[in-house]
């Protein structure tokens, strides 16, 4: 299994998931289809289907166009998310297969949108899995609670995604890592892992490189939104439950200007 970044718009990422033995690929959130197809063609791939994380235009906005450019292509999306151009609606736990070796599991991760899907992808046994988290989980951050509650985001982050194997690589929808890590440091100023990762992320961006992927293990160490079970973070937010602390943390981040 190989994964390629395709930078789109100002700070979005689309991705190509590739089954190496067949050169078949899936496109994740191909908001600029021409760019994604150009990348695919230059690598000698055949895009078999689209995986849409959620209905927002900067993720699903290329679906109709890619259907024109690749007649008969399937477009997967969450069943309750009203995804533009969707041909195949997915429920939590549904599986999709790619090529010879890749299995994709749909995980319902609501809150940013009510039908948001994250895609958990496994390849050969010796390969680390990957998860495509759209705008639910970012590196050191999470999406705004546009269509859901703190309870839902807690379930999505700490239960659904947090229980994936720690080496699982995290591919999110936007390049927000530097700002997110700067904010994370205000929440946990003594967390050396955050400081190390911020320095690394700044260097990556200065050389035009992505800061993605992270891993689930890394996020559990450096993402405050996945660390609200810690009494120190709850105390800092003025609550003694993880869900309330998460809600407050999101409010603080929404008002933070950096």
């Amino acid at each position: 299994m190989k994964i390629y970044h395709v930078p789109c718009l100002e700070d979005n990422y689309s991705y190509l998931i590739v089954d190496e033995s067949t050169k078949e690929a899936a496109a994740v959130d191909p908001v600029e289809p021409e760019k994604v197809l150009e990348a695919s063609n230059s690598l000698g791939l055949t895009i078999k289907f689209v995986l849409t994380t959620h209905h927002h235009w900067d993720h699903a906005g290329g679906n109709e166009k890619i259907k024109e450019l690749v007649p008969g292509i399937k477009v997967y999306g969450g069943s309750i998310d009203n995804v533009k151009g969707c041909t195949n609606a997915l429920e939590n736990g549904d599986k999709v297969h790619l090529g010879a070796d890749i299995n994709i599991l749909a995980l319902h991760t609501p809150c940013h949108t009510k039908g948001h899907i994250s895609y958990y992808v496994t390849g050969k046994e010796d390969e680390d899995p990957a998860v495509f988290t759209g705008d639910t989980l970012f590196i050191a951050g999470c999406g705004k609670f546009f269509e859901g509650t703190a309870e839902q985001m807690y379930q999505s982050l700490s239960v659904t995604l947090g229980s994936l194997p720690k080496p699982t690589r995290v591919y999110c929808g936007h390049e927000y890592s530097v700002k997110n890590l700067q904010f994370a440091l205000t929440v946990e100023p003594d967390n050396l892992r955050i400081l190390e990762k911020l320095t690394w992320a700044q260097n990556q961006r200065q050389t035009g490189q992505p800061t993605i992927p992270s891993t689930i293990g890394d996020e559990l160490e450096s993402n405050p939104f996945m660390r609200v079970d810690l009494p120190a973070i709850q105390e800092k937010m003025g609550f003694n439950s993880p869900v309330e602390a998460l809600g407050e943390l999101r409010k603080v981040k929404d008002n933070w200007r950096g």
Side-chain angles (χ1 to χ4, degrees), residues 219-258:
E219 293 309 300
L220 290 168
E221 289 181 357
S222 58
N223 186 333
F225 295 92
M226 290 188 85
R227 291 168 61 77
V228 291
D229 286 309
L230 293 176
I233 289 184
Q234 293 176 18
E235 194 178 320
K236 185 144 192 167
M237 292 301 115
F239 290 97
N240 58 7
S241 87
V243 171
E244 287 174 307
L246 180 59
E248 184 61 22
L249 188 60
R250 184 64 258 177
K251 276 186 207 151
V252 173
K253 175 74 161 46
D254 289 343
N255 294 314
W256 181 75
R257 291 293 168 262

Short mmCIF file of all heavy atoms in Angstrom, two decimals, residues 219-258:
data_model
loop_
_atom_site.label_atom_id
_atom_site.label_comp_id
_atom_site.label_asym_id
_atom_site.label_seq_id
_atom_site.Cartn_x
_atom_site.Cartn_y
_atom_site.Cartn_z
N GLU A 219 -0.66 11.25 18.29
CA GLU A 219 -1.77 12.15 18.66
C GLU A 219 -2.16 11.97 20.13
O GLU A 219 -2.49 12.94 20.81
CB GLU A 219 -2.97 11.93 17.74
CG GLU A 219 -2.73 12.35 16.30
CD GLU A 219 -2.17 13.76 16.18
OE1 GLU A 219 -2.84 14.71 16.62
OE2 GLU A 219 -1.04 13.92 15.68
N LEU A 220 -2.11 10.74 20.60
CA LEU A 220 -2.45 10.48 22.01
C LEU A 220 -1.44 11.15 22.95
O LEU A 220 -1.75 11.42 24.10
CB LEU A 220 -2.52 8.97 22.28
CG LEU A 220 -3.72 8.25 21.63
CD1 LEU A 220 -3.54 6.74 21.70
CD2 LEU A 220 -5.04 8.66 22.27
N GLU A 221 -0.25 11.45 22.43
CA GLU A 221 0.78 12.10 23.25
C GLU A 221 0.80 13.61 23.10
O GLU A 221 1.31 14.31 23.98
CB GLU A 221 2.17 11.57 22.86
CG GLU A 221 2.43 10.14 23.28
CD GLU A 221 3.83 9.67 22.88
OE1 GLU A 221 4.56 10.45 22.23
OE2 GLU A 221 4.17 8.53 23.24
N SER A 222 0.27 14.13 21.99
CA SER A 222 0.49 15.56 21.70
C SER A 222 -0.76 16.34 21.28
O SER A 222 -0.68 17.55 21.08
CB SER A 222 1.56 15.70 20.61
OG SER A 222 1.17 15.01 19.44
N ASN A 223 -1.88 15.68 21.15
CA ASN A 223 -3.11 16.37 20.71
C ASN A 223 -4.01 16.60 21.92
O ASN A 223 -4.59 15.65 22.45
CB ASN A 223 -3.81 15.51 19.66
CG ASN A 223 -5.02 16.23 19.05
OD1 ASN A 223 -5.63 17.08 19.68
ND2 ASN A 223 -5.37 15.86 17.83
N PRO A 224 -4.16 17.84 22.38
CA PRO A 224 -4.95 18.08 23.59
C PRO A 224 -6.39 17.57 23.48
O PRO A 224 -6.98 17.16 24.49
CB PRO A 224 -4.91 19.61 23.76
CG PRO A 224 -4.49 20.15 22.43
CD PRO A 224 -3.66 19.10 21.79
N PHE A 225 -6.93 17.58 22.27
CA PHE A 225 -8.33 17.14 22.08
C PHE A 225 -8.49 15.63 22.27
O PHE A 225 -9.60 15.15 22.47
CB PHE A 225 -8.83 17.57 20.69
CG PHE A 225 -8.90 19.07 20.54
CD1 PHE A 225 -7.82 19.78 20.04
CD2 PHE A 225 -10.03 19.78 20.93
CE1 PHE A 225 -7.86 21.17 19.91
CE2 PHE A 225 -10.08 21.16 20.80
CZ PHE A 225 -9.00 21.86 20.30
N MET A 226 -7.37 14.89 22.20
CA MET A 226 -7.40 13.45 22.48
C MET A 226 -6.86 13.13 23.88
O MET A 226 -6.71 11.97 24.24
CB MET A 226 -6.59 12.68 21.43
CG MET A 226 -7.25 12.69 20.07
SD MET A 226 -6.42 11.60 18.89
CE MET A 226 -7.20 10.03 19.25
N ARG A 227 -6.61 14.20 24.66
CA ARG A 227 -6.01 14.02 25.98
C ARG A 227 -6.90 14.56 27.10
O ARG A 227 -6.45 14.79 28.21
CB ARG A 227 -4.63 14.70 26.00
CG ARG A 227 -3.63 13.98 25.09
CD ARG A 227 -2.36 14.79 24.86
NE ARG A 227 -1.60 15.09 26.06
CZ ARG A 227 -0.82 14.24 26.71
NH1 ARG A 227 -0.69 12.98 26.28
NH2 ARG A 227 -0.16 14.61 27.78
N VAL A 228 -8.18 14.74 26.79
CA VAL A 228 -9.10 15.35 27.77
C VAL A 228 -9.46 14.39 28.92
O VAL A 228 -10.11 14.80 29.87
CB VAL A 228 -10.39 15.89 27.11
CG1 VAL A 228 -10.09 17.11 26.26
CG2 VAL A 228 -11.09 14.80 26.29
N ASP A 229 -9.01 13.14 28.83
CA ASP A 229 -9.17 12.23 29.98
C ASP A 229 -8.19 12.58 31.10
O ASP A 229 -8.35 12.12 32.23
CB ASP A 229 -8.97 10.76 29.55
CG ASP A 229 -10.16 10.25 28.75
OD1 ASP A 229 -11.29 10.41 29.24
OD2 ASP A 229 -9.96 9.70 27.65
N LEU A 230 -7.17 13.37 30.78
CA LEU A 230 -6.16 13.72 31.79
C LEU A 230 -6.70 14.75 32.77
O LEU A 230 -7.19 15.82 32.35
CB LEU A 230 -4.91 14.30 31.11
CG LEU A 230 -4.08 13.36 30.24
CD1 LEU A 230 -2.95 14.13 29.58
CD2 LEU A 230 -3.51 12.23 31.07
N PRO A 231 -6.59 14.49 34.07
CA PRO A 231 -7.08 15.45 35.07
C PRO A 231 -6.49 16.85 34.90
O PRO A 231 -7.17 17.85 35.11
CB PRO A 231 -6.64 14.82 36.40
CG PRO A 231 -6.54 13.35 36.11
CD PRO A 231 -6.10 13.24 34.69
N ALA A 232 -5.21 16.93 34.50
CA ALA A 232 -4.56 18.25 34.36
C ALA A 232 -5.25 19.10 33.30
O ALA A 232 -5.42 20.32 33.48
CB ALA A 232 -3.08 18.06 34.01
N ILE A 233 -5.66 18.48 32.20
CA ILE A 233 -6.34 19.24 31.13
C ILE A 233 -7.76 19.60 31.58
O ILE A 233 -8.23 20.72 31.35
CB ILE A 233 -6.31 18.46 29.79
CG1 ILE A 233 -4.87 18.47 29.26
CG2 ILE A 233 -7.28 19.09 28.77
CD1 ILE A 233 -4.68 17.84 27.90
N GLN A 234 -8.44 18.67 32.23
CA GLN A 234 -9.78 18.97 32.75
C GLN A 234 -9.72 20.15 33.71
O GLN A 234 -10.54 21.07 33.64
CB GLN A 234 -10.37 17.74 33.45
CG GLN A 234 -10.67 16.59 32.49
CD GLN A 234 -11.16 15.34 33.20
OE1 GLN A 234 -11.60 15.40 34.35
NE2 GLN A 234 -11.09 14.21 32.52
N GLU A 235 -8.73 20.11 34.59
CA GLU A 235 -8.58 21.18 35.59
C GLU A 235 -8.33 22.52 34.90
O GLU A 235 -8.93 23.54 35.26
CB GLU A 235 -7.41 20.83 36.52
CG GLU A 235 -7.37 21.66 37.79
CD GLU A 235 -6.22 21.25 38.70
OE1 GLU A 235 -5.95 20.04 38.82
OE2 GLU A 235 -5.59 22.16 39.25
N LYS A 236 -7.47 22.50 33.90
CA LYS A 236 -7.14 23.74 33.18
C LYS A 236 -8.39 24.32 32.50
O LYS A 236 -8.55 25.53 32.40
CB LYS A 236 -6.06 23.45 32.14
CG LYS A 236 -5.58 24.69 31.41
CD LYS A 236 -4.10 24.65 31.11
CE LYS A 236 -3.61 26.00 30.67
NZ LYS A 236 -2.16 26.11 30.65
N MET A 237 -9.28 23.43 32.05
CA MET A 237 -10.52 23.88 31.40
C MET A 237 -11.64 24.18 32.40
O MET A 237 -12.70 24.64 32.02
CB MET A 237 -11.00 22.80 30.39
CG MET A 237 -10.09 22.62 29.19
SD MET A 237 -9.89 24.15 28.22
CE MET A 237 -8.15 24.49 28.47
N GLY A 238 -11.38 23.87 33.68
CA GLY A 238 -12.37 24.18 34.72
C GLY A 238 -13.50 23.18 34.83
O GLY A 238 -14.59 23.51 35.32
N PHE A 239 -13.27 21.95 34.38
CA PHE A 239 -14.30 20.89 34.46
C PHE A 239 -13.67 19.61 34.97
O PHE A 239 -12.45 19.45 34.93
CB PHE A 239 -14.93 20.64 33.08
CG PHE A 239 -15.79 21.77 32.60
CD1 PHE A 239 -15.28 22.73 31.72
CD2 PHE A 239 -17.11 21.90 33.02
CE1 PHE A 239 -16.06 23.78 31.28
CE2 PHE A 239 -17.90 22.96 32.58
CZ PHE A 239 -17.37 23.90 31.71
N ASN A 240 -14.52 18.70 35.44
CA ASN A 240 -13.94 17.42 35.88
C ASN A 240 -14.53 16.23 35.12
O ASN A 240 -14.59 15.12 35.62
CB ASN A 240 -14.09 17.23 37.41
CG ASN A 240 -15.53 17.29 37.84
OD1 ASN A 240 -16.43 17.35 37.00
ND2 ASN A 240 -15.78 17.27 39.14
N SER A 241 -14.97 16.50 33.87
CA SER A 241 -15.36 15.39 33.00
C SER A 241 -14.72 15.62 31.63
O SER A 241 -14.55 16.77 31.20
CB SER A 241 -16.89 15.31 32.84
OG SER A 241 -17.32 16.15 31.79
N PRO A 242 -14.32 14.53 30.95
CA PRO A 242 -13.63 14.70 29.67
C PRO A 242 -14.49 15.37 28.61
O PRO A 242 -13.99 16.19 27.83
CB PRO A 242 -13.26 13.27 29.25
CG PRO A 242 -14.05 12.36 30.12
CD PRO A 242 -14.37 13.11 31.36
N VAL A 243 -15.79 15.08 28.60
CA VAL A 243 -16.66 15.65 27.56
C VAL A 243 -16.80 17.17 27.74
O VAL A 243 -16.68 17.94 26.78
CB VAL A 243 -18.04 14.96 27.56
CG1 VAL A 243 -19.02 15.69 26.63
CG2 VAL A 243 -17.90 13.50 27.10
N GLU A 244 -17.02 17.60 28.99
CA GLU A 244 -17.15 19.03 29.24
C GLU A 244 -15.82 19.75 28.97
O GLU A 244 -15.80 20.85 28.42
CB GLU A 244 -17.58 19.28 30.69
CG GLU A 244 -19.05 18.91 30.94
CD GLU A 244 -19.40 19.04 32.42
OE1 GLU A 244 -18.70 18.45 33.27
OE2 GLU A 244 -20.38 19.75 32.72
N ALA A 245 -14.73 19.10 29.35
CA ALA A 245 -13.40 19.69 29.10
C ALA A 245 -13.16 19.84 27.59
O ALA A 245 -12.63 20.85 27.13
CB ALA A 245 -12.32 18.82 29.73
N LEU A 246 -13.60 18.85 26.81
CA LEU A 246 -13.45 18.90 25.35
C LEU A 246 -14.26 20.05 24.77
O LEU A 246 -13.78 20.80 23.90
CB LEU A 246 -13.87 17.57 24.72
CG LEU A 246 -13.78 17.47 23.19
CD1 LEU A 246 -12.35 17.70 22.71
CD2 LEU A 246 -14.28 16.12 22.70
N GLY A 247 -15.49 20.21 25.24
CA GLY A 247 -16.34 21.31 24.78
C GLY A 247 -15.72 22.66 25.06
O GLY A 247 -15.69 23.55 24.20
N GLU A 248 -15.16 22.81 26.25
CA GLU A 248 -14.52 24.07 26.65
C GLU A 248 -13.25 24.30 25.84
O GLU A 248 -12.99 25.42 25.38
CB GLU A 248 -14.21 24.04 28.15
CG GLU A 248 -13.63 25.33 28.70
CD GLU A 248 -14.55 26.55 28.57
OE1 GLU A 248 -15.79 26.38 28.44
OE2 GLU A 248 -14.03 27.68 28.59
N LEU A 249 -12.48 23.25 25.64
CA LEU A 249 -11.24 23.33 24.87
C LEU A 249 -11.51 23.82 23.45
O LEU A 249 -10.79 24.65 22.90
CB LEU A 249 -10.55 21.96 24.86
CG LEU A 249 -9.16 21.84 24.27
CD1 LEU A 249 -8.16 22.72 25.02
CD2 LEU A 249 -8.69 20.38 24.29
N ARG A 250 -12.59 23.31 22.86
CA ARG A 250 -12.96 23.73 21.51
C ARG A 250 -13.34 25.21 21.49
O ARG A 250 -12.96 25.95 20.57
CB ARG A 250 -14.12 22.85 21.01
CG ARG A 250 -14.59 23.07 19.58
CD ARG A 250 -13.56 22.74 18.53
NE ARG A 250 -12.92 23.92 18.00
CZ ARG A 250 -11.93 23.89 17.10
NH1 ARG A 250 -11.47 22.75 16.63
NH2 ARG A 250 -11.39 25.00 16.67
N LYS A 251 -14.07 25.65 22.51
CA LYS A 251 -14.45 27.07 22.60
C LYS A 251 -13.22 27.96 22.72
O LYS A 251 -13.12 29.00 22.07
CB LYS A 251 -15.35 27.30 23.83
CG LYS A 251 -16.82 27.01 23.60
CD LYS A 251 -17.62 27.41 24.84
CE LYS A 251 -18.88 26.55 24.92
NZ LYS A 251 -19.34 26.35 26.29
N VAL A 252 -12.28 27.54 23.57
CA VAL A 252 -11.04 28.30 23.76
C VAL A 252 -10.28 28.38 22.44
O VAL A 252 -9.81 29.46 22.04
CB VAL A 252 -10.17 27.66 24.87
CG1 VAL A 252 -8.80 28.34 24.96
CG2 VAL A 252 -10.87 27.73 26.22
N LYS A 253 -10.19 27.26 21.74
CA LYS A 253 -9.48 27.24 20.43
C LYS A 253 -10.18 28.13 19.41
O LYS A 253 -9.53 28.83 18.64
CB LYS A 253 -9.39 25.79 19.94
CG LYS A 253 -8.77 25.63 18.52
CD LYS A 253 -7.27 25.85 18.54
CE LYS A 253 -6.51 25.31 17.37
NZ LYS A 253 -6.97 25.52 16.06
N ASP A 254 -11.53 28.10 19.42
CA ASP A 254 -12.28 28.94 18.46
C ASP A 254 -11.99 30.42 18.65
O ASP A 254 -12.05 31.19 17.69
CB ASP A 254 -13.79 28.69 18.61
CG ASP A 254 -14.22 27.31 18.09
OD1 ASP A 254 -13.44 26.70 17.35
OD2 ASP A 254 -15.33 26.86 18.44
N ASN A 255 -11.67 30.82 19.88
CA ASN A 255 -11.42 32.23 20.18
C ASN A 255 -9.94 32.58 20.21
O ASN A 255 -9.58 33.74 20.40
CB ASN A 255 -12.06 32.60 21.52
CG ASN A 255 -13.58 32.52 21.44
OD1 ASN A 255 -14.17 33.02 20.51
ND2 ASN A 255 -14.21 31.87 22.42
N TRP A 256 -9.09 31.58 20.02
CA TRP A 256 -7.63 31.78 20.09
C TRP A 256 -7.12 32.36 18.77
O TRP A 256 -7.47 31.87 17.70
CB TRP A 256 -6.96 30.45 20.39
CG TRP A 256 -5.47 30.48 20.50
CD1 TRP A 256 -4.73 30.96 21.53
CD2 TRP A 256 -4.52 29.99 19.53
NE1 TRP A 256 -3.39 30.81 21.29
CE2 TRP A 256 -3.23 30.21 20.06
CE3 TRP A 256 -4.65 29.40 18.28
CZ2 TRP A 256 -2.07 29.86 19.38
CZ3 TRP A 256 -3.50 29.03 17.60
CH2 TRP A 256 -2.23 29.26 18.14
N ARG A 257 -6.32 33.39 18.85
CA ARG A 257 -5.82 34.01 17.62
C ARG A 257 -4.34 33.72 17.34
O ARG A 257 -3.81 34.08 16.33
CB ARG A 257 -6.07 35.53 17.65
CG ARG A 257 -7.56 35.87 17.54
CD ARG A 257 -8.13 35.51 16.17
NE ARG A 257 -9.60 35.55 16.14
CZ ARG A 257 -10.36 34.50 16.27
NH1 ARG A 257 -9.83 33.28 16.46
NH2 ARG A 257 -11.67 34.59 16.22
N GLY A 258 -3.66 33.11 18.30
CA GLY A 258 -2.29 32.66 18.07
C GLY A 258 -1.24 33.75 18.10
O GLY A 258 -1.34 34.82 17.65
#
